[in-house]
Amino acid sequence: MPATDTGRPLPFLPFARPTIDENMVEALSDTLRSLWITSGPQVLAFEAALSRHHGDRPVRTFTSATAALEVALLVLGIEPGDEVILPAQTFFSCANMITRTGARPVFVDVDPVTRNMNLEAARDKITSRTRALMPTHFAGLPLDMDALYALAESHGLRVIEDAALAIGSRWKGRLIGSFGDLASFSFHPNKNITTIEGGALVFSSEELAVRAEKFRFHGISRLPDGTRDVVVPGGKSNMPDVNARLGLLQLERLDEFTRRRQQLVARYFECLDTDPPCILPARGDEGHSWNFFAPLLPLERLNRSRKDVMDMLHQRGIGTGISYEATHLTTQYRALGYREGDFPHSERIARETITLPLYPSMHETDVDRVCVALREVLHEARKK
Ligand SMILES: *Cc1c(COP(=O)(O)O)cnc(C)c1O
């Protein structure tokens, strides 16, 4: 652990950390004491709060965003033979859930500046089998929603927005999820609000939401005689009440968390100045909710690997992450024929990206510490 000049060790800064206040701890205890711990009144209350937050659109919760994405595909009837277009630079869930429906994930490259799906590249991949677009709002920076929906509408495609990183993000002032087709949020501890594990889908119609309830709970439909019928081969991905109670209290603090993230990122932009220089992420506007802050390392000008840089930062008490590897180059998706060179921007981000600490309980001085450490490490690692 690094020491200050007073000899006191500095605390380790992880790259992400949830904010759990005493109020939340007490509320969870109350929910446990109520003995109604799986899906019940708290889930209904959390879904209602999420719905109010997103322009009164229908919302259902799940055990994860991964489960939510799978249900989104299932309620839209995506099936074997279909194709769904997604970016190569995003988390693995997207391609995996498409694959689990039997459909084919069709990757496209991202824009090197926004790191969001390149919509022109997506247009070129549309075939008679294409059913949906599944873009990610990368790190919380909204995709161009006007262009996205213009493309979808002109080809009669559904859209499942992977908004795992984008709760609280706004496009031209409107919250992501409050308009458009389907949007999926994640409440994993690294995301902007957490339910420990959890996710939610915002729907464009109540009919789809009711269908999703079947897919998340055994396919069950209740009959008038008190027995149950099974109407679809549903799985089980209902959120427990304990998690939903936490989600309600987290949602109350979302605006505050978002503002704090934005302030800390402003500090990064002020202070991060290395030699050789990193490529900083796109700044976006006040609609960017900044789930993570990930510069690209100038690896061509270093005589150390990214892993070395991450280890050197770790020795200085600074945690880092990688968001993300290029999905098309994983074993699972190489088997579809994808290769190095297919998506140069996604591959470059995958090689060079490093996620620096960012979470609401960080202080400005912590950001300064990260900036100083990265400057030292890159100075030491640079090619002479
Ligand atoms: C975290 C994440 C997911 C999956 O969320 P889970 O709740 O962990 O299943 C999907 N997409 C992106 C871009 C993510 O960052």
Side-chain angles (χ1 to χ4, degrees), residues 222-228:
R222 294 186 187 275
L223 299 176
D225 70 354
T227 64
R228 295 164 294 183

Side-chain angles (χ1 to χ4, degrees), residues 63-67 69 90-94 136-137 162 164-165 185-188 191 197-199 291-292 324:
T63 43
S64 69
T66 303
L69 288 171
T90 184
F91 189 56
F92 310 130
S93 314
C94 298
T136 296
H137 300 292
D162 172 14
L165 304 166
F185 296 109
S186 172
F187 308 126
H188 178 277
K191 306 299 159 80
E197 296 283 0
N291 178 260
F292 59 79
Y324 301 93

